[in-house]
Amino acid sequence: MRIIVNKSKLTFAFFITLGLFVSVVGVFVLPERFFFDTKIILYDKYKELGWRGSYPFTILFYKITGLKELHFSLIGIIQYSIVAFLTYKIGVPKNFDKLRVKNILTYLSFIMIAVFLCMPTKEFINYLCITFIALLLKKSNDNLLKNIIFVLLSLIVFGSFFREYYMLVAFLSVIFYLVSKVNIKKKKLATIFYGLLTAVFVSLSYGVIKGEFISQKTRESYNALRMNGEASNSMIISPLNTESWYGESFGIVYGFFSVNLPLNGLKHYLSPQIIAFVLWQSLLFIILLIRYEKSFKKGLKNNYELWVYYILFSFFIVQGIFEPDLGSAIRHKMGFFPIIYLALYYQDFSLDSKKKKVE
């Protein structure tokens, strides 16, 4: 009897097993700064327990589920096992055993996810919600409008009670779609450009109403408080003062490139973990740009794949506004990984491609 071994699934299982190991031992080897958020979640330091807001909801989640009472190693096993199962439900790519750049980036992502899940964390809840959206985008049936409306509403609801910036992601995704409908060349770059322009407009409008621009209120103010702290090594600080309209505009664009094509991070050549992130993120961004352009060639009609990229690059733009440092940028990308994973391997996962294979 001949036993057929699926090498892709075997490779997937190997890196998931490796991730499980990391999720168990992480608590014993990670530096103290990795657990700053965890202490807030476990001990409710600022009395935030509630249903709205990322910290209040996460504190409530770990209290209700009883996970906060368990040892971190056991929490890591439970959380990573759930995440691994959900990722498996999205799909296992064909040729996942081949040493290709996108596969290697995904292998590393599985390990990084384990690092961030070996403790109580907001990213676990984030991963659950984003997986739901990824599974909706994977459907590829004919009723695209209905499903996309459901996806956008899901982002808005998720943003309203957990992380507000997901509402901006939904809004920017619609801007991406509208720009893509215009008959212009190089739509890939045009959609990103107008997405950035819209983000600038939103921030400046917010500044007019509230008296303080968004990145100034979030990233710049937060970094100013910890300028001399140990965790400030990879801070993202705009070269221009963001208190002016032109400084804020430049700061958003600067932030976008700092978290998505972070070549300015090479100045931290004495910090190998930062250099590793720069390489991982830069390669990932370039691959996604190439695949985004290829997706446009399939046309706009019933193209779910394009909506994956609209949402993905909208998230990347929003990161450019809010992320205070490279460490936070990669942590939040791991919480958003189901969409990244879907974008990298959409042709392997979509129902349309499976139907063609059967036919």
Side-chain angles (χ1 to χ4, degrees), residues 193-213:
F193 171 77
Y194 283 105
L196 279 168
L197 197 63
T198 302
V200 169
F201 175 77
V202 169
S203 181
L204 296 182
S205 300
Y206 182 90
V208 170
I209 297 171
K210 297 291 187 178
E212 190 175 25
F213 302 125

Side-chain angles (χ1 to χ4, degrees), residues 206-267:
Y206 182 90
V208 170
I209 297 171
K210 297 291 187 178
E212 190 175 25
F213 302 125
I214 295 178
S215 77
Q216 172 64 27
K217 179 182 177 181
T218 55
R219 180 180 67 221
E220 302 298 329
S221 297
Y222 178 64
N223 281 339
L225 292 174
R226 58 179 190 147
M227 187 66 73
N228 298 318
E230 182 184 352
S232 65
N233 189 28
S234 65
M235 288 193 304
I236 298 170
I237 300 176
S238 174
L240 296 182
N241 191 321
T242 54
E243 292 181 354
S244 64
W245 69 267
Y246 55 87
E248 174 70 1
S249 302
F250 179 83
I252 290 175
V253 176
Y254 178 82
F256 172 76
F257 284 101
S258 293
V259 298
N260 296 302
L261 197 62
L263 299 182
N264 55 346
L266 293 174
K267 63 185 178 183

